[in-house]
Amino acid sequence: MLGVSVNTFRVWATRARTARTGIAASMPSPVATLHGQVYRSEEIEDFGRLIALNARSPRSAQRGLGAYYTPSIAANLMVQWAVRDATNTLIEPSVGDGEFAIAAQRYAHGMGWGTLDVYACELDPETAARAASVGAIAPSRMRVGDFLSCHDLPSADAVIGNPPFVRVRELSAPLRRSALDAASSTLPRPMDASGSVWMPFVSKSLTHLKPGGRLALVLPLDFTYVKYARQLWLLLGAEFKKLSIIRFRERVFPDIMQNVLILLADGRGGSTDEVEVVSYDRIADVPDAGFGAGVSVPIEQVVSGQKVFQYALLPKETREVLQSLQAESAPAKGRIKFNIGYVSGNKQFFHPSPDTVQKFGIPQSSLQPTIQTSRQLTGSGLRTSSMTRSAELWSPIGELTSGEADYVSYGEANGVDMAYKCRIRKPWYRVPGVRNPQILMTTFSDRPRIHLNDAEWVASNSILCGYIQTRESAESIIESWYTPLTLLSVELNIHSLGGGVMIAVPGEADAVQLIDAKVTRPVDQSAIDAALRSNDATAAYSVGSASIEALVGVDGVDALWRGAAELERWRKAQV
Ligand SMILES: C[S@@+](CC[C@H](N)C(=O)[O-])C[C@H]1O[C@@H](n2cnc3c(N)ncnc32)[C@H](O)[C@@H]1O
């Protein structure tokens, strides 16, 4: 994601705690450990932008405020959509190098309309002076300062631009205050400062519009999934007649670590309960005539956290097949619920090597076979009974033997008891939440796979643990799981990080759609086993095709595969 080697990242991470300047000083802090440090993806994205700023110099000072300049192809398309006649007044709230204003004037001249009335705001005086010197904005129309606290702007037909994407809590105190106030002035609930400043920009921008006016803004893709923006979706639905977002599979800004979209909100004063999603591979694929039509999704589903923006990327036939399978399928959680496994607090200590077991005389009765890392499942068969035991958890049940008491003292001498997870439990060496799930699911993988835990192993938090909620057998879950419908639903529901690695979290795994047990045909489990052993998840998910084919035919199954492949293409293009 950052375009640096793992080693470079490690060096920065080691220096992060002490560094006062330079890249290491700006490193985000890890939020957890799981095979190493875990970082929030948004924080790594922010950090990536900072690295990009450092790498390129001349404009780097301005870029610290989130200043990535919009490519002219995007600005031209947005202008063409937003500017409707010679009398239109425009506002550009964060003008930067003036790309939108220039595009608007160029467009108006091309249409024979003369000069448009364009107002602009820019926080940075030098940038503002440069934008004004290009001549696209009359000096009397330029507002130098914070757009979010600017009251000196007229009503406009369109607000068009690319606001900064900087977390509110990272702004200086006055800017932070004006951002939170601007958000509160239109949104029903106060905004949390962990959210990004583009949201107050959108909410304030709409207050500057005349009835019938419109917004055309470049926003981060986060807008489609962050929880804090849900109230903005409701506000936009209540304020505009038509809403569209335009998504691009390839990055619009080739040189920054940020996926963006274009928001078009038309007809201020109207209302809608839908948002239209228009998608293209590249911005260059948008036809000259304009953005075109897309797939409408209900705002209500956006707000309830359903993955509708993913759904909208699917081909029409795939959406139809999904609809027709509604009655015979349901979210997994009615049959199986997923949780994370135990958190030991110190992997090495709680998973002692055979030598350590021997040295301290740890009894076999205190050791439980476990899936300690997801890697143990890579290339393994369907059942834990066929796997080699590569890890054991030390999990004493009753009183400690004298050898175990020595092991506890050894742990204390090495500070294991002071690790955060150990410190907060009593006694520190008893790991809670050690259970035997019936199903195990890989978390960090190209596509999640499930295994049958017939040997009753325990499992750590590197994988998801599935517990069956009904009287059915684990085999019956396996039969319903490995079908192309599940695969498509996995692509729809499970999120991924840059580079396309899927990260399954319990809520997402629970939401995966499974074909009902009553319509599931018996499958050849040895074929699933063979596919998993050869690490071929696609082959595993095709084993249950017959169940789906019986309901929607060969073409229907084909449409599901095509849908999954399309979502995979989008996932793998993600930065
Ligand atoms: C993402 S750039 C976009 C520039 C321009 N819209 C474009 O696309 O070419 C954001 C610009 O917003 C400016 N900016 C940041 N915070 C601002 C604020 N509170 N009010 C006005 N401008 C701001 C930055 O200085 C930067 O020039």
Side-chain angles (χ1 to χ4, degrees), residues 62 65-70 92-100 121-124 127 145-148 161-164 175 201:
Q62 299 101 295
L65 285 166
Y68 324 111
Y69 296 96
T70 311
E92 217 295 20
S94 52
V95 77
D97 60 0
E99 184 67 45
F100 285 102
C121 201
E122 171 55 54
L123 187 62
D124 180 54
T127 309
D146 175 18
F147 167 69
L148 297 171
N162 174 8
L175 289 178
F201 263 79

Side-chain angles (χ1 to χ4, degrees), residues 293-344:
V295 178
S296 289
V297 297
I299 291 178
E300 189 196 335
Q301 291 184 9
V302 175
V303 173
S304 64
Q306 296 181 45
K307 306 284 167 98
V308 282
F309 292 106
Q310 290 291 92
Y311 176 80
L313 297 175
L314 294 174
K316 185 164 172 277
E317 312 79 68
T318 312
R319 281 181 276 121
E320 284 167 2
V321 172
L322 278 179
Q323 286 296 332
S324 69
L325 284 170
Q326 280 281 331
E328 277 97 9
S329 60
K333 64 171 179 263
R335 298 168 64 187
I336 179 164
K337 274 195 66 60
F338 290 94
N339 281 322
I340 57 166
Y342 65 79
V343 180
S344 70

Side-chain angles (χ1 to χ4, degrees), residues 71-92 95 97-120 134-137 158-161 216:
S72 56
I73 181 168
N76 289 340
L77 283 162
M78 290 162 68
V79 159
Q80 186 187 325
W81 177 85
V83 181
R84 311 248 165 115
D85 69 55
T87 65
N88 277 183
T89 302
L90 305 189
I91 295 176
E92 217 295 20
V95 77
D97 60 0
E99 184 67 45
F100 285 102
I102 296 165
Q105 299 299 8
R106 202 167 38 218
Y107 180 67
H109 283 286
M111 299 294 282
W113 294 341
T115 304
L116 281 179
D117 203 7
V118 180
Y119 286 77
V134 186
I137 302 143
V159 175
I160 179 165

Side-chain angles (χ1 to χ4, degrees), residues 158-404:
V159 175
I160 179 165
N162 174 8
F165 311 155
V166 179
R167 271 170 210 284
V168 171
R169 67 164 178 241
E170 282 162 21
L171 297 172
S172 65
L175 289 178
R176 188 162 60 232
R177 206 166 311 117
S178 69
L180 296 176
D181 288 350
S184 298
S185 69
T186 49
L187 293 163
R189 286 188 307 283
M191 181 184 170
D192 193 279
S194 60
S196 175
V197 72
W198 59 262
M199 184 151 108
F201 263 79
V202 180
S203 72
K204 180 159 192 293
S205 294
L206 69 89
T207 66
H208 291 282
L209 291 176
K210 295 177 186 170
R214 52 216 159 263
L215 298 178
L217 298 170
V218 175
L219 298 178
L221 186 65
D222 312 21
F223 181 30
T224 58
Y225 59 84
V226 291
K227 282 202 180 130
Y228 69 82
R230 291 183 184 169
Q231 55 170 336
L232 180 63
W233 281 110
L234 289 174
L235 175 69
L236 293 172
E239 294 282 343
F240 290 93
K241 195 165 162 220
K242 181 161 175 33
L243 296 175
S244 313
I245 63 160
I246 323 294
R247 287 187 65 175
F248 305 97
R249 193 170 61 83
E250 287 186 6
R251 266 187 281 170
V252 174
F253 298 98
D255 52 348
I256 61 156
M257 304 273 175
Q258 182 84 52
N259 287 93
V260 298
L261 52 79
I262 295 171
L263 166 72
L264 305 176
D266 203 1
R268 166 103 209 265
S271 69
T272 179
D273 48 21
E274 287 182 340
V275 51
E276 183 185 46
V277 184
V278 186
S279 48
Y280 291 100
D281 270 3
R282 276 163 240 98
I283 196 154
D285 296 343
V286 179
D288 290 344
F291 290 111
V295 178
S296 289
V297 297
I299 291 178
E300 189 196 335
Q301 291 184 9
V302 175
V303 173
S304 64
Q306 296 181 45
K307 306 284 167 98
V308 282
F309 292 106
Q310 290 291 92
Y311 176 80
L313 297 175
L314 294 174
K316 185 164 172 277
E317 312 79 68
T318 312
R319 281 181 276 121
E320 284 167 2
V321 172
L322 278 179
Q323 286 296 332
S324 69
L325 284 170
Q326 280 281 331
E328 277 97 9
S329 60
K333 64 171 179 263
R335 298 168 64 187
I336 179 164
K337 274 195 66 60
F338 290 94
N339 281 322
I340 57 166
Y342 65 79
V343 180
S344 70
N346 183 315
K347 271 187 226 147
Q348 217 186 342
F349 181 82
F350 288 101
H351 302 99
S353 68
D355 284 351
T356 308
V357 167
Q358 201 185 10
K359 184 169 158 204
F360 288 92
I362 296 175
Q364 200 52 46
S365 58
S366 295
L367 294 170
Q368 302 219 46
T370 181
I371 300 288
Q372 188 213 331
T373 89
S374 207
R375 279 191 297 275
Q376 272 169 262
L377 293 175
T378 312
S380 290
L382 178 62
R383 294 158 194 276
T384 45
S385 59
S386 68
M387 296 179 196
T388 42
R389 279 188 190 194
S390 56
E392 289 185 313
L393 172 74
W394 176 55
S395 176
I397 315 267
E399 263 188 42
L400 300 184
T401 62
S402 68
E404 286 177 315

